[in-house]
Amino acid sequence: MNQPSIIFKNWVPKWLVKTILFLTILPVISMLAGYIGGISSAASYYGLDPTDIQFSIVLYYIGIASFFPLERRFFSYFASKSYFLLSVLLFTGINFVLYSTSNQMIFMVFRYLGGAVTVSLISIVLNLIFAQYHSERSRVLGYALFYGTLLISNAFTYLFDAYIFQNYDFNVLYLAIIYVQIPGVLLLFFSLRKEIRLHQKRVPLFKLDWSSFIIYTTILITIAYVLLYGFYYDWYESTRIWFCSASILILIAVFIIKQRHSKRPFIDLEIYKYRNFKLGAILLMLYYVCKGDLSVANSFFLDEMHLDSYNYAYIMFFNAVGIVIGISVAARFILSKHPMRLIWLAGFAFLLTYHIQMFFVFGSEANVRSVLLPLFFQGLGNGILMLSIVLFLITSVPESKSFSASLSGVSFRFFAFTCSLALVSFMNFRQVSVHYEVLGRTVNTLNTAATQRLQFYENTAAANGASPLKAKVMAKKMLGKAVANHTNLLFARDYYYYMGIAIIFIMLGISLLPHLHYHFRKIGSKIIPI
């Protein structure tokens, strides 16, 4: 009897198992950045700044990263079916609280708790996914299915958000998530056998390292705060940023000392002795920063191409197709033992192609057709790189330390994701200011083109029934908006230009790294003979 038949009832075919797992995990994963397409709606509803909403997104990620080690103990203690039911009830309760409240503090706290509970659901579903494949292929195909779902969830989320944010208040999103998870949860619950255990043995809940958990969580939250808010407080001109930075260094030192003297460390720091692990960690963070943040292109899609939320959601399905193909190709090549460097180079090449194409799209009269191929290439590159880098990171250490490597990988993704948000905000402010200043010197009454454009706006307003005085005021506002849109377009081109250059250097590094490592070792042996 194979593993799936032990877990699922006899009447459940394999295709239905995979469908059920997809329906179960999709709402959970979508909550990671479920309202990233409606940041302005969330900010308006809670009376917060857009940066506060970004911080709440990161808090969800921190909940996942920090609770991951403790969750393994709970997972191995409870019966799997009961644990799944308990996790679903907690997830539903948290979303109901988020739906019911508009209090800012409660919103932030329960976003974090939502991330912590999400770990439990992800853990259950991941183990069920791994059980569907032969042991030699389970890790690759299991992660392929999971990360494929994670990446393509954006396409479903954008379509979901478009309907919610155009027809209801922001908080209805959480109520909708509760309803959307019902089909997958019910199907999974009734298709599982009565008494199943997805773990080897039951581990009692004693000596849980709560102190390390609190220290680790505090470190991640403080890092996120410094990265996201440092720019707005003028970095180290602010006392609070100095205090937070000093706290991070002290807490990291305390955490490292505690782990080194612990019999059961929260994170096994021995993983950092492995060269491939450090290489994988660096590559994972570089990938997350350079993967092509679609939020930069959003203003172009909405303002210049005049796409509504539904049309934008539909074109994102081309991105999802690229992700599915990229994940499938990467899994095939990894199972065929192709060199990992070639897989990485292919993935970054597709991302570079995306950045180059979008750079020229920003400078032309773009239409929907012109962005479909770039979005496909972006998905293709993301699918290839996400699976290959994560698997390389996890397999770079002995199997006994793979859990710590996986946990650290989640933390690296959190850090890189937060850095990406901070980098976009910083470049947006800096480049828009630079271009606005240049255009401000150009757009004046002595400039013929600016005068003609202003006259055009004035005539248009007058033709729509505005009085001469009101037409002049409206014309100036329309010209100001046109200048603002143009500066945002120039910022987007700058961002994609610099990210394209960064990707070229990453590809050069991947190509030359083995040769450089060989020569460094050769030079070192001559300087320090052994």
Side-chain angles (χ1 to χ4, degrees):
M1 184 178 288
N2 58 20
Q3 183 74 354
S5 64
I6 298 174
I7 296 173
F8 290 92
K9 294 177 181 177
N10 294 330
W11 58 267
V12 186
K14 286 188 176 181
W15 65 266
L16 182 57
V17 168
K18 294 175 182 178
T19 303
I20 291 172
L21 293 176
F22 177 78
L23 291 175
T24 304
I25 198 63
L26 184 62
V28 177
I29 291 175
S30 297
M31 279 300 295
L32 178 61
Y35 51 83
I36 201 164
I39 286 179
S40 58
S41 298
S44 175
Y45 181 79
Y46 290 105
L48 296 170
D49 187 83
T51 305
D52 299 325
I53 303 303
Q54 288 183 333
F55 186 67
S56 73
I57 295 173
V58 172
L59 276 178
Y60 195 85
Y61 222 134
I62 292 173
I64 294 174
S66 61
F67 194 70
F68 197 0
L70 287 182
E71 187 279 331
R72 182 174 63 165
R73 297 288 300 276
F74 290 100
F75 174 76
S76 60
Y77 179 77
F78 293 101
S80 299
K81 198 169 183 179
S82 301
Y83 186 63
F84 170 69
L85 180 59
L86 177 62
S87 300
V88 169
L89 291 175
L90 286 173
F91 185 75
T92 302
I94 287 169
N95 279 289
F96 185 76
V97 171
L98 288 170
Y99 164 72
S100 304
T101 185
S102 59
N103 183 278
Q104 299 172 1
M105 184 57 67
I106 294 176
F107 169 64
M108 292 292 183
V109 171
F110 275 81
R111 277 294 294 178
Y112 170 81
L113 293 176
V117 173
T118 296
V119 181
S120 306
L121 293 169
I122 289 175
S123 180
I124 290 283
V125 175
L126 261 181
N127 279 274
L128 290 173
I129 290 173
F130 289 153
Q132 306 309 305
Y133 302 102
H134 188 271
S135 58
E136 294 181 0
R137 297 158 56 87
S138 64
R139 177 174 285 184
V140 175
L141 296 178
Y143 277 117
L145 182 58
F146 174 73
Y147 282 109
T149 305
L150 174 64
L151 292 173
I152 68 173
S153 65
N154 283 339
F156 293 95
T157 301
Y158 280 121
L159 187 60
F160 190 63
D161 290 352
Y163 178 77
I164 295 294
F165 298 146
Q166 286 193 11
N167 296 281
Y168 302 98
D169 292 334
F170 171 80
N171 64 323
V172 175
L173 172 67
Y174 298 108
L175 188 63
I177 288 291
I178 294 174
Y179 288 128
V180 168
Q181 72 172 342
I182 290 175
V185 167
L186 289 179
L187 284 171
L188 182 59
F189 189 77
F190 288 112
S191 62
L192 292 172
R193 293 183 180 273
K194 287 186 178 180
E195 296 295 331
I196 61 165
R197 281 195 176 274
L198 299 173
H199 43 80
Q200 297 290 336
K201 61 180 181 179
R202 185 179 183 183
V203 180
L205 289 175
F206 65 91
K207 294 183 179 179
L208 292 175
D209 196 354
W210 290 106
S211 58
S212 292
F213 165 73
I214 293 171
I215 294 171
Y216 191 64
T217 303
T218 307
I219 291 171
L220 296 184
I221 291 176
T222 312
I223 288 174
Y225 184 86
V226 170
L227 289 175
L228 290 178
Y229 290 95
F231 174 70
Y232 292 95
Y233 291 113
D234 203 13
W235 293 106
Y236 292 101
E237 296 295 324
S238 170
T239 306
R240 71 177 68 193
I241 300 301
W242 273 109
F243 176 78
C244 289
S245 301
S247 300
I248 291 169
L249 294 176
I250 293 170
L251 288 172
I252 288 176
V254 171
F255 184 79
I256 292 173
I257 293 171
K258 184 173 175 57
Q259 301 314 300
R260 289 192 177 280
H261 292 84
S262 176
K263 291 182 179 180
R264 298 184 183 90
F266 197 73
I267 301 176
D268 189 350
L269 300 180
E270 295 292 319
I271 58 177
Y272 290 96
K273 291 183 177 180
Y274 296 92
R275 172 179 168 269
N276 281 350
F277 177 79
K278 290 183 284 189
L279 174 63
I282 293 171
L283 199 59
L284 182 65
M285 290 189 288
L286 290 174
Y287 154 67
Y288 254 79
V289 172
C290 299
K291 70 176 184 175
D293 196 335
L294 289 172
S295 65
V296 176
N298 281 349
S299 59
F300 176 76
F301 291 142
L302 300 176
D303 297 333
E304 299 296 325
M305 293 178 57
H306 305 294
L307 294 178
D308 59 27
S309 301
Y310 288 105
N311 286 327
Y312 178 67
Y314 290 135
I315 67 171
M316 285 303 297
F317 278 96
F318 281 84
N319 183 256
V321 171
I323 290 169
V324 172
I325 294 175
I327 287 270
S328 304
V329 169
R332 177 67 177 174
F333 283 169
I334 292 170
L335 290 172
S336 302
K337 309 295 184 183
H338 279 70
M340 195 64 79
R341 282 197 306 133
L342 297 182
I343 298 175
W344 292 339
L345 287 172
F348 278 110
F350 286 122
L351 280 189
L352 179 61
T353 303
Y354 160 73
H355 281 79
I356 293 172
Q357 288 183 323
M358 286 303 295
F359 178 83
F360 289 105
V361 165
F362 289 141
S364 62
E365 293 294 330
N367 52 39
V368 172
R369 281 189 173 184
S370 63
V371 301
L372 294 182
L373 192 59
L375 289 175
F376 173 79
F377 281 130
Q378 197 258 8
L380 199 60
N382 277 339
I384 292 172
L385 290 172
M386 174 66 90
L387 180 63
S388 60
I389 295 175
V390 168
L391 284 173
F392 178 81
L393 187 74
I394 295 172
T395 57
S396 62
V397 299
E399 190 173 349
S400 60
K401 301 179 187 297
S402 61
F403 180 78
S404 290
S406 180
L407 167 61
S408 298
V410 175
S411 300
F412 293 140
R413 290 198 291 275
F414 144 75
F415 180 73
F417 175 70
T418 310
C419 285
S420 177
L421 292 177
L423 180 63
V424 170
S425 297
F426 170 74
M427 286 193 64
N428 188 2
F429 180 83
R430 183 182 181 279
Q431 296 303 112
V432 166
S433 299
V434 169
H435 292 304
Y436 197 86
E437 184 180 350
V438 173
L439 285 173
R441 291 196 298 265
T442 304
V443 179
N444 53 55
T445 55
L446 299 178
N447 185 290
T448 306
T451 304
Q452 290 175 349
R453 178 63 65 93
L454 191 64
Q455 186 62 48
F456 170 76
Y457 289 144
E458 189 175 337
N459 294 338
T460 303
N464 289 326
S467 64
L469 181 60
K470 189 175 182 180
K472 288 182 180 294
V473 174
M474 291 177 64
K476 290 180 180 179
K477 288 183 178 179
M478 293 168 71
L479 182 62
K481 184 177 180 180
V483 170
N485 288 340
H486 190 64
T487 54
N488 286 328
L489 183 62
L490 293 175
F491 150 68
R493 294 193 74 191
D494 289 345
Y495 182 85
Y496 278 80
Y497 174 77
Y498 290 124
M499 287 298 108
I501 292 175
I503 291 172
I504 291 173
F505 278 107
I506 293 171
M507 293 177 68
L508 285 174
I510 293 171
S511 303
L512 298 175
L513 186 62
H515 306 287
L516 292 174
H517 181 66
Y518 168 76
H519 288 295
F520 286 147
R521 289 184 61 185
K522 191 174 180 180
I523 293 170
S525 64
K526 290 180 179 179
I527 296 175
I528 310 173
I530 299 175

